[in-house]
Amino acid sequence: MNASALAAVVPCWSCKGPVASRALFCSVCGAVQGPGAIDHFTRLGMTPTFDLDMDALERQYFGFQRRLHPDRFASKSGKEKALSQAQATSLNDAYETLKDPMKRAAYLLTLLGHPVDLTACGTINDRALLMEQMEKREALADATTPEQVAKLAVEAESEVIACQCHISAAFNAADLDGAGHLCIRLKYLAKLAEEARAKKSRITRMP
Amino acid sequence: MLLQLSEPGESPAPHESERGLAIGIDLGTTNSVVALARDGTVEVLRDAEGKGLVPSVVYYGGDGAVTVGQDARRMLLEEPDHVVSSIKRLMGRGVEDLKTLAGTLPFKLDVAADGGMVRLSVGERILTPVEVSADILRALRARAEAAQGKTVDRAVITVPAYFDDGARTATKDAARLAGLEVLRLVNEPTAAALAYGLDNAAEGFYAVYDLGGGTFDISILRMEKGVFQVKATGGDAALGGDDIDHAIAEHFLAERSATHGEVAITAGEAKQALAAARVAKECLSSRPEGEWVIEVDGKPSRHALTRVQLEDLAAPWVERTTAICRGVIADSGVDLADIKGVVLVGGSTRMPVVRRKVREIFGREPLSNINPDEVVAVGAALQAEALTVGSDTLLLDVTPLSLGIETMGGIVEKVIPRNTPIPVAMAQEFTTYQDGQTAMSVHVLQGEREMVDQCRSLARFVLRGIPNMAAGAARIRVTFTVDADGLLTVAASEATTGVEQQVAVKPSYGLTEDEMATMLRDSLEHAKDDMASRLFAETVVEARRSVLAVQAALKVDSDLLSPAERQDIDGAIGQVDTAIATGDRDTVIAATEALEAATKVFAERRMDRGIRAALAGMAVDRLDDALGGE
Ligand SMILES: Nc1ncnc2c1ncn2[C@@H]1O[C@H](COP(=O)(O)OP(=O)(O)O)[C@@H](O)[C@H]1O
Ligand SMILES: [Mg+2]
Ligand SMILES: [Zn+2]
């Protein structure tokens, strides 16, 4: 308790007085503080969960950027400019990670001490996944009419959404192994959906 | 719990009034525009005839005089060797790049150039593109100063969104030479969106299609409650109306050879043909056909052209924008049907064939209630005001091009993908490929292609002092940082030893600090004084911040001081004010350091009190500025 209380107070770089280590601005002199090492959820003022309210996340992100973006510090001292850049960089990192379901799931798994390697594809389980993906990819390559491609794009999209629901369920059931596997599955599904979308916009012409 | 703080950006920075004015500049390939915003109202600064557009043309007279704009453009045909136009095409380019641009450039290059930055031979002078751009910026600055009767020393300057790091750095260098502090480099389409969005209270997804003289940019943005968020951007830094002019000029010259026989085309003929081509092209935007005359050395030739013919000649260039737009729409992840409007920017969007193409690509009529020539400068001026006085709007931009480093086999490993929101920092780990390898060369590249020779080389440096280890054992972490101006810094460190090296990427074709210093010294104006006064201004900002910080601390914790101690501190504060009044930078630095020393014990007591309070678990609230976003 005492140790954490101690860690919670650091000297403000500007007025040298005590400031909460997680504070954005010094409550005494108003100077912007460094971003500190906090997790992405805390940084954006969100509760760590897979089921994030996306509108709330975006509101928080814009709200923090409004206060911390380098554009707010253009006529401040060099040190304040540098700190605001560091803050805005951390906010971008946090937001880009949390807004993407796959990255969010992987990040949450890391936070929970159960990291997943998204580059892995060696297990039997994954081989089945690869087979399934190969078939779907072939179907997409063979599709020639806009209708066929559109249909595949819709299918891919709904599989992505279904997978996200399963991930959510896995997290809620504290099944971190399951969430990890689904996370890898989501990676492939999302890639396929993106390719389908790209092909769709390539072959669909506006009237 | 939110504490009452003077929020950055909400109130004007103190002493703002002491500074010169901050302007917005659209530094175009063909035309430039300068504007000034006050209380959200923008004035484009015009000449006596009411023209806001300043041709980006510079005339270097034999007597050393430098003329910019309309008057310089007039000299183009009389003394072509003394006139420079379209210099923006060469910003940040190296001699190597010119091969790809060959034939499209209206300059005589200095052949002695030593493989580094391009140099032009203009009359008796040898000039770099940075110096020529600085001359244009000086003229714009002078126009603003004359109109306002006040010093102008800061600017927001726009650059094509698709400008690479080298071109951005070159633009910043040019501003420095012209005595302007760059508050921010803003991407042209983003500036246009800001101006359009604020004026029309736009909400939703919009596209900005900017086809000027030498560059093409396309951006998809989301505008919402004062937030301008770029979703994706793309373009071609060498595509514009100039290319169409060349196609027409070639057509004219072929006709001319048919009239006067096949003789080598002279430089004079080529310039005349280009000028005629441009006039023809612009006329045909409002007329279906016309006839133009090229006359060189008393030999006239007549050239009839219809809009239909022109559109045939222009088709390949206009078509090139289609694929780029489709790619950017796909990158943005925005459904075409969700794009609520297309903002047209740049003189070339006046061509009916371009408008038809935009309608075809986006499936809707482009917006036309915007002045395509001035909207970028208006946005820049609004942003200049926002950065100096404060504002509620927020511009969130992205990197236009992927950034990476060279790995084995000449393959580029991407570190930051394109369309990543900035500012951003991303790291990648690499390792050695030979036993006992103690140095590693880092080659930084920009571009979308896989192979090194297909991307743009930004910089090279060598990380030394890697411990002697087996191949693959060292862990070298390369961190790329892109700031809000879109400029890159690269740092490399070895994890087991912490050997670290940081380079601001001074691009391969940029100016060195020495060259900059020489140019600043040589520049006719008091650029040196400008530098000195800028440094002084920065020091004063820092000194005032220290004083304000101490005063704020005294307000809450002065009970920690004896009257004598308090007097010491007040004295030190007074010394800083006195030092600022002397106008001498070193004196201000010394006084600021003295203030720091005088408050050391005070700071220690404050920390003690804070920690004791935290241990007692009572005051963390007071210290904890709320974490809530809005
Ligand atoms: N009425 C017009 N019709 C066709 N092209 C035009 C017209 N007016 C200007 N242009 C072309 O627009 C280009 C200049 O556009 P501008 O936006 O000023 O360029 P930049 O941003 O590159 O400086 C030139 O190629 C010019 O010929
Ligand atoms: Mg332009
Ligand atoms: Zn403080």
Side-chain angles (χ1 to χ4, degrees):
Chain A
M1 159 72 215
N2 281 1
S4 77
L6 263 181
V9 181
V10 293
C12 162
W13 64 271
S14 171
C15 74
K16 312 290 191 301
V19 62
S21 63
R22 301 190 327 180
L24 303 176
F25 297 93
C26 172
S27 58
V28 172
C29 76
V32 64
Q33 305 294 307
I38 49 176
D39 72 82
H40 294 334
F41 290 99
T42 309
R43 186 170 310 285
L44 289 171
M46 305 296 288
T47 314
T49 166
F50 180 74
D51 304 320
L52 276 190
D53 173 347
M54 285 298 137
D55 290 339
L57 178 72
E58 189 186 76
R59 260 198 317 278
Q60 289 289 96
Y61 168 69
F62 287 160
F64 279 110
Q65 281 290 24
R66 259 188 219 281
R67 305 171 72 195
L68 294 167
H69 192 275
D71 283 358
R72 295 284 182 266
F73 296 82
S75 39
K76 296 277 177 167
S77 68
K79 171 92 181 175
E80 286 161 292
K81 283 183 191 166
L83 288 171
S84 109
Q85 179 177 322
Q87 284 279 12
T89 299
S90 302
L91 287 172
N92 279 334
D93 187 17
Y95 182 59
E96 291 299 304
T97 306
L98 296 190
K99 80 170 189 200
D100 178 84
M102 198 244 316
K103 290 186 193 158
R104 180 168 73 245
Y107 182 73
L108 192 55
L109 284 167
T110 308
L111 274 191
L112 295 171
H114 201 285
V116 53
D117 183 2
L118 284 175
T119 54
C121 49
T123 63
I124 302 290
N125 212 348
D126 289 339
R127 220 168 263 146
L129 172 64
L130 282 179
M131 288 303 290
E132 176 200 340
Q133 288 302 304
M134 242 141 74
E135 274 167 31
K136 290 195 171 132
R137 202 146 289 189
E138 256 165 48
L140 180 63
D142 292 344
T144 44
T145 68
E147 292 73 28
Q148 284 171 331
V149 176
K151 183 164 168 276
L152 288 171
V154 170
E155 271 173 29
E157 201 60 51
S158 55
E159 285 209 55
V160 164
I161 292 168
C163 186
Q164 288 169 19
C165 292
H166 292 140
I167 293 180
S168 163
F171 273 116
N172 289 330
D175 173 13
L176 300 187
D177 269 336
H181 285 304
L182 287 164
C183 199
I184 293 169
R185 182 177 160 77
L186 181 59
K187 181 186 161 184
Y188 287 101
L189 290 175
K191 206 162 160 207
L192 185 76
E194 194 189 303
E195 279 163 24
R197 214 181 311 126
K199 181 160 182 179
K200 188 177 129 196
S201 75
R202 256 201 320 278
I203 69 170
T204 316
R205 289 284 139 114
M206 270 289 144
Chain B
M1 177 192 95
L2 260 171
L3 287 148
Q4 282 169 331
L5 307 174
S6 80
E7 284 276 285
E10 274 180 5
S11 56
H15 313 287
E16 183 57 39
S17 53
E18 287 170 22
R19 299 292 311 263
L21 296 172
I23 51 177
I25 294 178
D26 170 6
L27 181 62
T29 313
T30 323
N31 296 299
S32 298
V33 180
V34 53
L36 178 72
R38 262 203 214 92
D39 306 323
T41 309
V42 182
E43 184 189 349
V44 171
L45 304 173
R46 300 173 192 285
D47 63 12
E49 295 162 41
K51 286 206 183 97
L53 285 186
V54 180
S56 305
V57 181
V58 191
Y59 168 65
Y60 292 92
D63 54 355
V66 178
T67 313
V68 173
Q70 204 57 54
D71 293 338
R73 201 167 134 185
R74 274 186 211 112
M75 301 303 289
L76 201 56
L77 295 178
E78 281 169 47
E79 285 183 60
D81 289 351
H82 286 75
V83 179
V84 183
S85 59
S86 292
I87 194 63
K88 190 169 167 181
R89 288 200 151 193
L90 293 192
M91 290 296 267
R93 308 266 116 189
V95 175
E96 280 300 301
D97 299 315
L98 296 186
K99 289 176 193 144
T100 55
L101 295 170
T104 66
L105 296 171
F107 324 106
K108 205 195 277 171
L109 298 170
D110 178 26
V111 281
D114 45 5
M117 193 185 217
V118 185
R119 274 158 222 275
L120 311 179
S121 164
V122 188
E124 299 72 41
R125 306 182 204 208
I126 303 293
L127 295 165
T128 61
V130 170
E131 289 167 287
V132 178
S133 294
D135 282 324
I136 299 171
L137 289 171
R138 276 194 199 97
L140 298 171
R141 179 184 175 195
R143 175 181 281 217
E145 288 184 338
Q148 301 298 317
K150 270 191 176 171
T151 311
V152 170
D153 58 4
R154 291 171 298 168
V156 165
I157 300 181
T158 60
V159 291
Y162 214 58
F163 245 21
D164 65 27
D165 196 82
R168 283 170 199 263
T169 306
T171 305
K172 253 191 150 171
D173 285 347
R176 208 168 126 196
L177 275 184
L180 286 169
E181 178 194 339
V182 177
L183 289 163
R184 183 76 71 235
L185 294 177
V186 174
N187 291 327
E188 285 161 14
T190 312
L194 178 69
Y196 174 81
L198 290 180
D199 205 32
N200 296 275
E203 301 255 309
F205 293 107
Y206 283 79
V208 179
Y209 179 105
D210 180 352
L211 189 62
T215 53
F216 170 62
D217 272 334
I218 167 78
S219 292
I220 311 281
L221 295 99
R222 201 177 103 191
M223 311 187 195
E224 199 156 354
K225 296 183 219 90
V227 181
F228 294 76
Q229 190 184 23
V230 179
K231 293 304 219 178
T233 193
D236 186 332
L239 170 62
D242 287 359
D243 296 301
I244 299 170
D245 297 351
H246 278 276
I248 304 168
E250 269 167 39
H251 172 76
F252 283 176
L253 287 171
E255 286 183 335
R256 190 173 161 86
S257 324
T259 326
H260 296 292
E262 290 282 344
V263 278
I265 293 158
T266 64
E269 272 178 318
K271 286 213 171 175
Q272 285 273 6
L274 268 179
R278 180 159 164 193
V279 173
K281 177 190 74 178
E282 294 179 7
C283 283
L284 291 176
S285 288
S286 46
R287 277 199 277 149
E289 61 192 5
E291 192 178 64
W292 291 270
V293 178
I294 300 174
E295 183 167 347
V296 184
D297 303 331
K299 285 195 287 181
S301 55
R302 309 182 75 79
H303 306 274
L305 195 69
T306 66
R307 187 187 287 169
V308 175
Q309 280 175 300
L310 164 70
E311 293 185 349
D312 264 355
L313 289 168
W317 309 107
V318 179
E319 189 49 47
R320 262 168 67 180
T321 70
T322 309
I324 300 173
C325 288
R326 292 231 159 91
V328 169
I329 294 166
D331 277 357
S332 72
V334 176
D335 247 9
L336 197 50
D338 291 337
I339 295 176
K340 284 175 68 179
V342 186
V343 177
L344 292 182
V345 184
S348 298
T349 60
R350 289 214 170 79
M351 295 179 73
V353 62
V354 171
R355 291 181 177 233
R356 283 207 307 278
K357 185 53 74 183
V358 171
R359 192 185 315 141
E360 179 192 317
I361 299 169
F362 292 93
R364 65 174 58 245
E365 202 62 44
L367 298 162
S368 55
N369 59 330
I370 307 145
N371 179 337
D373 295 323
E374 295 179 353
V375 66
V376 170
V378 169
L382 287 168
Q383 188 63 359
E385 187 181 41
L387 295 181
T388 48
V389 180
S391 142
D392 264 348
T393 57
L394 184 61
L395 286 192
L396 298 170
D397 220 315
V398 299
T399 49
L401 293 150
S402 301
L403 293 158
I405 83 172
E406 175 173 354
T407 60
M408 287 292 285
I411 293 174
V412 181
E413 171 84 18
K414 300 232 162 79
V415 178
I416 299 183
R418 68 170 185 272
N419 294 320
T420 302
I422 54 172
V424 63
M426 285 188 186
Q428 193 91 271
E429 269 191 10
F430 298 91
T431 189
T432 48
Y433 61 92
Q434 273 174 6
D435 287 340
Q437 187 180 341
T438 56
M440 184 169 136
S441 102
V442 178
H443 185 195
V444 182
L445 296 123
Q446 185 162 39
E448 305 315 313
R449 308 284 293 277
E450 259 186 28
M451 303 305 293
V452 166
D453 52 6
Q454 298 163 332
C455 286
R456 186 162 182 75
S457 167
L458 287 184
R460 290 171 190 272
F461 66 97
V462 178
L463 179 74
R464 295 180 197 285
I466 299 171
N468 195 325
M469 286 188 265
R475 285 191 293 126
I476 292 139
R477 196 174 167 79
V478 179
T479 307
F480 280 35
T481 305
V482 179
D483 67 15
D485 288 325
L487 291 172
L488 172 69
T489 314
V490 180
S493 63
E494 201 286 312
T496 51
T497 54
V499 172
E500 187 154 339
Q501 204 158 319
Q502 175 143 1
V503 283
V505 175
K506 257 291 181 186
S508 319
Y509 309 124
L511 296 170
T512 63
E513 274 303 309
D514 280 355
E515 284 173 309
M516 263 313 271
T518 313
M519 285 180 185
L520 284 171
R521 205 161 43 239
D522 294 351
S523 82
L524 295 170
E525 276 175 69
H526 314 291
K528 237 192 143 180
D529 288 356
D530 282 352
M531 277 303 288
S533 69
R534 182 130 6 107
L535 279 177
F536 179 71
E538 259 165 44
T539 307
V540 169
V541 168
E542 180 57 32
R544 289 210 164 111
R545 187 205 49 73
S546 294
V547 169
L548 286 175
V550 172
Q551 284 169 339
L554 287 172
K555 226 179 247 168
V556 290
D557 286 330
S558 62
D559 58 310
L560 293 171
L561 295 168
S562 70
E565 288 166 333
R566 173 69 196 249
Q567 222 170 22
D568 280 352
I569 292 177
D570 285 341
I573 291 175
Q575 286 300 313
V576 175
D577 287 335
T578 316
I580 291 173
T582 66
D584 179 58
R585 181 161 174 255
D586 291 339
T587 312
V588 178
I589 292 175
T592 312
E593 280 168 2
L595 174 63
E596 191 124 315
T599 53
K600 196 160 178 287
V601 172
F602 180 43
E604 283 165 10
R605 288 186 199 150
R606 292 182 62 217
M607 275 309 288
D608 278 351
R609 171 182 278 183
I611 288 170
R612 255 182 287 117
L615 288 174
M618 50 174 269
V620 180
D621 258 5
R622 183 178 77 97
L623 305 169
D624 195 359
D625 180 16
L627 288 158
E630 276 191 302

